[in-house]
Amino acid sequence: MDLKNSQAAVNTITYNKAEIEKPTGNIYEAITIIAKRANQINTEIKKELIDKLDEFATYNDSLDEVFENKEQIEVSKYYERLPKPHALAVEEWLSGEITYKE
């Protein structure tokens, strides 16, 4: 999944209900499929973020000292600016990238 080149909306937008339900013929089934894909995307992004943050982690035994790790802050800000998982899932659904079984 290439998050940098995604065309998913960062802001809230309104979608045409007919376009969403078109592949399945049932809006509820379409939304369920999109929600499952959004959960998968969220899990992938979370794992990737944790792995990147662990690269810059500093461990110390003193609880009195709190260090700001600038690399971790930048990585976190990058992931905050990405489109949300549900927006990525809707984009994939509308472009026909999601397959499903009945």
Side-chain angles (χ1 to χ4, degrees), residues 18-31:
E19 288 181 33
I20 298 289
E21 69 182 6
K22 189 181 201 180
T24 61
N26 184 334
I27 189 68
Y28 300 108
E29 186 177 355
I31 289 173

Side-chain angles (χ1 to χ4, degrees), residues 32-65:
T32 301
I33 294 167
I34 293 169
K36 286 181 181 182
R37 178 63 183 139
N39 284 335
Q40 291 172 346
I41 292 170
N42 188 43
T43 302
E44 292 170 17
I45 291 173
K46 189 174 183 179
K47 182 182 180 309
E48 186 178 314
L49 173 62
I50 290 171
D51 289 344
K52 286 188 179 185
L53 290 176
D54 282 344
E55 289 176 17
F56 302 111
T58 56
Y59 301 102
N60 58 359
D61 294 335
S62 173
L63 295 176
D64 296 332
E65 298 178 27

